[in-house]
Amino acid sequence: MNATEEAEALKMLFRNQHAFLIPKIMLTASDLGVFDLLMESKEPLTSVTIAERLGTSPFGMERLLDACVGYKFLQVERKDNQTLYGNTNLANLYLGKRSPRTQYYSLKFSAEFTYMRAQHLADAVREGEPQTYRINDISTRNFYEAFYRTESGLREFMKLMHEMWRLWSGVVLNAFDLSHFPLVCDVGGCTGALANKCISLYPNSTVTIFDLPEVVETGKKHFVSSEEHRITFHGGDFFKDPIPEADLYILSRTLHCFADEKCVQLLTRLHKACKPGGGVLIVERVLNEDRTGPLEAQIYGLVMLLITQGKERTPSEYNVFLNAAGFKEIQQKKTGHFDAILGRK
Ligand SMILES: C[S@@+](CC[C@H](N)C(=O)[O-])C[C@H]1O[C@@H](n2cnc3c(N)ncnc32)[C@H](O)[C@@H]1O
């Protein structure tokens, strides 16, 4: 290793050593209102003004703002002998609670829920088991039971699921032409974010959201307009209860929550209920076949280890499931953050 390579390796070491603080920094600045204040003030502000307006100590606020500059959530300029802080595009778009495409609940999930469980990462690797049961008095290893124990937990989880689709629903549902699947069932459809996009992209489609009864009730109350007659709800357990007949089943970010045998069990149930000529659309972060990336899928694989019995998978792993369940003509499209895999009956 030459001196430049060693300097680079050391830089990586020190950066990564503190990387666990990144979601904490983003969430803290978002929660305290830094990004919203700077977005709404339309001009950069000094750290003293920001602290004053947000009711914090100037000493602490300056440290937080400097860290945000380091990670390029904020930018600084010098004017009249003063340092002025302003949002970067990233903060304006995604980090403010009132940003148009805010990812606030995603930050909160990483900085609080995942962060707590990450204290037990070594246990998770040793046991190959989620660590939810180690936190507080929760005895369940079922992620959903843990999250849905309270109304506020359920609502927060649903907001987390919902906000991501402000960014990606269009590309994912345009990956394949779905116009010849008029009757769609979004299995584990949660807030109906994909259902809404589906009916707006495909004017002849109707969508049933199939999810656990408490999710369906909350979805009806808080997320889907009652005026929307092309979306219907079906509460039940997709491992036990009858699956509504459909031309297309969407399974988005759901298989990655479950162990292999459960995935095959669910896909087999969908295949049985599927109309002839219909299909299933899987939406997931898919690992490269040689497992070299993408980083988001590799990291999420670890997050899934901490919180569920599932994982992120390669295209051939999904192919094995789909074949075992009876689906054929499998096609995969990379769409950026999430990939789409279509199998036909
Ligand atoms: C990770 S979320 C994905 C939500 C949504 N598909 C999306 O991409 O935003 C998985 C969904 O599956 C639902 N789910 C989990 N187990 C279920 C079961 N046994 N029966 C029905 N729905 C279930 C959860 O309530 C949740 O809405």
Side-chain angles (χ1 to χ4, degrees):
M1 194 189 283
N2 63 34
T4 320
E5 285 167 344
E6 183 168 359
E8 196 49 41
L10 275 175
K11 201 168 148 192
M12 275 284 262
L13 174 72
F14 287 114
R15 284 210 141 200
N16 288 341
Q17 203 174 320
H18 299 105
F20 72 96
L21 277 170
I22 299 173
K24 288 271 178 208
I25 294 167
M26 289 195 273
L27 181 70
T28 304
S30 191
D31 258 340
L32 290 174
V34 172
F35 303 123
D36 285 340
L37 173 67
L38 290 170
M39 193 164 46
E40 280 146 26
S41 86
K42 308 270 189 235
E43 55 174 10
L45 302 172
T46 66
S47 62
V48 173
T49 308
I50 296 171
E52 232 170 55
R53 300 237 188 119
L54 299 178
T56 74
S57 73
F59 186 78
M61 183 53 79
E62 191 184 49
R63 302 290 90 73
L64 178 65
L65 297 177
D66 287 342
C68 286
V69 173
Y71 284 114
K72 302 198 173 15
F73 310 140
L74 296 179
Q75 54 201 2
V76 271
E77 61 184 81
R78 287 285 292 171
K79 207 171 172 188
D80 303 332
N81 229 12
Q82 286 187 313
T83 300
L84 300 171
Y85 296 83
N87 281 348
T88 57
N89 290 335
L90 170 82
N92 274 331
L93 279 172
Y94 308 118
L95 301 185
K97 274 184 163 179
R98 294 196 285 272
S99 294
R101 293 194 279 167
T102 184
Q103 294 299 300
Y104 173 78
Y105 285 98
S106 179
L107 297 178
K108 196 165 158 62
F109 182 74
S110 297
E112 293 176 354
F113 193 84
T114 309
Y115 179 85
M116 293 259 286
R117 281 138 189 90
Q119 311 308 309
H120 298 289
L121 182 56
D123 296 311
V125 173
R126 268 187 221 107
E127 297 165 14
E129 283 278 353
Q131 296 301 304
T132 299
Y133 74 101
R134 288 186 193 271
I135 311 292
N136 304 332
D137 59 346
I138 303 170
S139 62
T140 177
R141 293 184 190 210
N142 181 315
F143 169 70
Y144 295 105
E145 277 171 26
F147 231 113
Y148 296 174
R149 282 183 321 151
T150 60
E151 164 78 16
S152 61
L154 172 64
R155 284 277 293 280
E156 203 158 287
F157 177 77
M158 291 180 76
K159 286 180 184 163
L160 160 71
M161 292 295 105
H162 201 74
E163 69 184 10
M164 187 71 95
W165 292 124
R166 286 199 194 111
L167 310 180
W168 310 106
S169 58
V171 278
V172 156
L173 292 176
N174 266 319
F176 296 99
D177 176 10
L178 305 178
S179 59
H180 43 284
F181 299 117
L183 196 57
V184 178
C185 177
D186 191 353
V187 181
C190 205
T191 65
L194 282 183
N196 265 317
K197 194 67 182 183
C198 191
I199 59 164
S200 81
L201 287 175
Y202 299 102
N204 67 338
S205 67
T206 56
V207 185
T208 301
I209 298 168
F210 184 3
D211 211 302
L212 295 167
E214 61 270 39
V215 177
V216 158
E217 280 317 304
T218 309
K220 267 191 216 164
K221 242 195 268 168
H222 300 288
F223 291 92
V224 177
S225 154
S226 57
E227 303 291 297
E228 192 38 82
H229 301 302
R230 286 165 62 206
I231 296 182
T232 54
F233 294 88
H234 188 98
D237 180 335
F238 52 47
F239 289 116
K240 294 187 192 136
D241 295 321
I243 307 274
E245 194 184 42
D247 296 302
L248 180 75
Y249 295 97
I250 299 177
L251 258 182
S252 159
R253 298 193 284 181
T254 296
L255 291 181
H256 80 155
C257 303
F258 296 102
D260 292 1
E261 56 282 8
K262 290 291 228 182
C263 294
V264 175
Q265 185 189 338
L266 178 55
L267 285 166
T268 305
R269 300 194 86 224
L270 299 186
H271 187 267
K272 273 199 189 117
C274 187
K275 288 193 182 187
V280 61
L281 181 75
I282 296 174
V283 177
E284 292 285 358
R285 294 178 181 89
V286 179
L287 280 166
N288 298 340
E289 202 55 65
D290 60 6
R291 310 189 82 87
T292 49
L295 183 62
E296 293 78 12
Q298 292 163 326
I299 297 293
Y300 233 78
L302 212 52
V303 172
M304 297 320 277
L305 171 70
L306 287 169
I307 65 179
T308 71
Q309 273 150 343
K311 59 178 193 167
E312 305 308 328
R313 298 179 169 96
T314 61
S316 60
E317 288 177 295
Y318 284 113
N319 281 358
V320 169
F321 292 169
L322 286 163
N323 283 320
F327 288 101
K328 296 188 281 275
E329 296 170 44
I330 298 156
Q331 295 167 267
Q332 186 197 343
K333 292 254 174 86
K334 289 213 158 286
T335 66
H337 200 69
F338 293 101
D339 296 331
I341 302 174
L342 183 67
R344 301 297 295 268
K345 178 162 174 175

